[in-house]
Amino acid sequence: MTDLTTMTAGRLLDGYRTGEFGPVEVARAALERAERSSRPEVNAFVRLFPDEALAQARAAQERWRRGEPSGPLDGVPVTVKDILLLRGHPTLRGSKTVDPAGRWDEDAPSVARLREAGAVFLGKTTTPEYGWKAVTDSPLTGVTRNPHDPSRTAGGSSGGSAAAVALGAGPLSLGTDGGGSVRIPAAFCGVFGLKPTYGRVPLYPASAFGTLAHVGPMTRDAADAALLLDVIGVPDSRDWSALGPVGGSFTAALGGGVRGLRVAYSPSLGGQVAVRPAVAAAVRRAVERLAGLGAYVEEADPDITDPVDAFHTLWFAGAAQVTRRLPKESLDPGLREISAEGARFSALDYLAAVDVRMELGRRMGRFHDTHDLLLTPTLPITAFETGAEVPRGSGHRRWTGWTPFTYPFNLTQQPAATVPVGTDGDGLPVGLQIVAARHRDDLVLRAAHALYASGIASAPQARGR
């Protein structure tokens, strides 16, 4: 039998239907991987729930035995970033300022949908404090490392989720993305990550980072992400900004292929970004494969300039709101710095940033009048050394300096995914970013699925497996 921890959720469900294997042996295998990835060399988990997970798996196995699965993910192991509420367990958000002894009696909307679908919860994954940066280390849990090379970062802020999926600790994980926090670690760890259109996956409690913050799937491939989005992408009354029901299934739309799609390939956003040659080469090969599959591909840059100052205003102000009543001496020093900066912005500064955001959204809306998809590198680099917010010697001050392809699409609320399309000379994964107009998550998933089906997209083998 193939290693159960390398199987997608779809493959596991097929095995449950035929009786080839059951949820209990799958949960045990995933927990063994989770135990391995919770050790210091990777450190992907805040806590694991082995007894609870096995009890859920046994219940799922009995339902499958009776031919009565409770939902579309019955018995599939999942993990949850420790930003999202999971009933019965503390959500500490990477911070020593959160009291673990709280009531913890509510699920976040996406977690509630997973529970209804029969998922088996393995544990909560690591995050930097309040998800503030694009690498995963925190005062609470220390450093999360890359499964492909533990001397390198897993990325962030959903770094624990990306590392868990890469190591086989469950094929599905929930991450959050306010400026790239699903896509960045997914790209660094060689897994699939999707930031859906804002509001497609309800979020509760509301994020202090406002409408920059998305919840999204982190999976082994695009088909699993579509399956997961079908489950979690439904309205929840606790989120007033959630979108209405989807008219159809993301899974059913996967087979549409890319023939005839109008695709823009922007290697460097019009020369604004210096991309490492190995990254550029891997991305270009994947773009050429899409052209070979029938997409109309042209090099074209969206008419945008780097909105980093506006993003900083919104992001740093959100950090100031998160931390305003917290003991500053207990915080990550970087979070303390951006919070202090954010507290100095005026209401007019904030509204000026909103104006930049709206203009960026207008320009991208017009761009998608003539292009169905925009392709870019997910990141201009591969994973760098742990213990630093920015690569040493880069000259960048904050994490946004090395993530110029990701945060613009949080400002515009568009769906954007990262697909693993190769490795650099050190064996570190490279990601291709696929972006579509708002509400066209189906096109992002279709294009990504076509790359997986063609063989150019795949999860590289993590050294820690």
Side-chain angles (χ1 to χ4, degrees):
M1 182 190 300
T2 305
D3 182 352
L4 294 172
T5 66
T6 67
M7 292 184 182
T8 64
R11 174 69 179 88
L12 293 178
L13 290 165
D14 288 341
Y16 298 164
R17 289 186 191 99
T18 62
E20 180 183 356
F21 45 77
V24 173
E25 59 189 303
V26 168
R28 285 185 176 133
L31 282 166
E32 189 276 329
R33 292 290 183 183
E35 290 280 2
R36 185 180 304 179
S37 58
S38 68
R39 297 170 190 165
E41 55 264 32
V42 175
N43 190 30
F45 283 90
V46 180
R47 69 192 62 82
L48 294 170
F49 323 135
D51 294 339
E52 183 177 329
L54 288 172
Q56 291 170 350
R58 283 191 286 270
Q61 187 150 310
E62 175 58 22
R63 292 190 293 270
W64 280 105
R65 187 192 66 78
R66 298 196 310 265
E68 300 172 351
S70 65
L73 294 176
D74 203 8
V76 175
V78 301
T79 58
V80 178
K81 182 180 180 180
D82 199 34
I83 291 287
L84 298 168
L85 297 177
L86 194 156
R87 190 176 73 226
H89 300 280
T91 297
L92 302 180
R93 302 175 173 90
S95 183
K96 293 180 178 179
T97 67
V98 179
D99 182 2
R103 291 179 60 184
W104 311 117
D105 57 359
E106 193 169 18
D107 285 329
S110 51
V111 174
R113 302 294 84 77
L114 283 176
R115 195 181 297 279
E116 292 163 1
V120 171
F121 294 101
L122 300 182
K124 298 294 287 291
T125 58
T126 53
T127 175
E129 193 164 28
Y130 293 98
W132 80 269
K133 61 183 175 180
V135 294
T136 299
D137 58 72
S138 76
L140 182 70
T141 58
V143 176
T144 296
R145 301 173 182 275
N146 195 305
H148 296 273
D149 180 348
S151 72
R152 310 293 183 106
T153 179
S157 63
S158 306
S161 287
V165 173
L167 283 171
L172 308 177
S173 193
L174 291 180
T176 63
D177 189 317
S181 288
V182 160
R183 290 159 289 155
I184 293 163
F188 275 179
C189 293
V191 301
F192 183 80
L194 171 68
K195 177 186 76 67
T197 299
Y198 178 78
R200 173 47 52 216
V201 181
L203 179 61
Y204 171 85
S207 171
F209 298 106
T211 57
L212 295 172
H214 305 228
V215 177
M218 304 181 75
T219 61
R220 295 193 63 80
D221 65 10
D224 271 7
L227 175 63
L228 182 49
L229 190 58
D230 280 336
V231 170
I232 64 177
V234 295
D236 188 289
S237 60
R238 293 171 291 174
D239 183 351
W240 64 270
S241 63
L243 298 176
V246 178
S249 160
F250 292 110
T251 299
L254 287 175
V258 297
R259 183 168 298 279
L261 291 183
R262 302 162 301 169
V263 176
Y265 167 44
S266 180
S268 60
L269 293 180
Q272 297 181 74
V273 184
V275 179
R276 287 187 185 168
V279 172
V283 169
R284 184 173 289 276
R285 285 193 296 271
V287 172
E288 291 170 350
R289 180 63 59 87
L290 280 179
L293 294 172
Y296 297 118
V297 179
E298 63 170 338
E299 286 202 21
D301 301 309
D303 179 24
I304 61 174
T305 55
D306 188 355
V308 68
D309 291 337
F311 180 81
H312 280 171
T313 299
L314 300 173
W315 192 254
F316 294 0
Q321 172 67 11
V322 165
T323 63
R324 65 193 178 102
R325 292 192 177 93
L326 300 180
K328 301 300 187 285
E329 66 278 3
S330 299
L331 298 176
D332 180 321
L335 176 57
R336 191 163 59 236
E337 288 173 13
I338 70 164
S339 298
E341 191 170 342
R344 292 192 289 270
F345 291 133
S346 68
L348 289 178
D349 293 330
Y350 194 93
L351 290 174
V354 171
D355 283 344
V356 171
R357 181 181 193 180
M358 290 191 292
E359 174 60 16
L360 182 67
R362 183 193 70 82
R363 292 182 180 224
M364 287 306 305
R366 292 298 299 272
F367 182 80
H368 285 291
D369 284 341
T370 54
H371 297 91
D372 297 306
L373 297 172
L374 170 65
L375 307 181
T376 74
T378 307
L379 297 163
I381 59 175
T382 51
F384 55 91
E385 64 277 5
T386 61
E389 181 186 343
V390 302
R392 293 187 178 94
S394 66
H396 299 310
R397 177 170 172 262
R398 299 259 76 111
W399 60 268
T400 44
W402 54 271
T403 62
F405 293 110
T406 59
Y407 57 79
F409 305 109
N410 291 82
L411 290 166
T412 62
Q413 303 187 338
Q414 294 171 248
T418 184
V419 183
V421 292
T423 57
D424 68 4
D426 295 322
L428 296 169
V430 171
L432 164 73
Q433 181 172 239
I434 305 175
V435 184
R438 292 175 73 243
H439 311 296
R440 293 314 308 266
D441 307 70
D442 60 317
L443 290 183
V444 172
L445 288 164
R446 273 173 53 189
H449 182 63
L451 287 172
Y452 278 100
S454 75
I456 200 165
S458 63
Q461 185 78 8
R463 297 176 195 173
R465 287 187 62 88

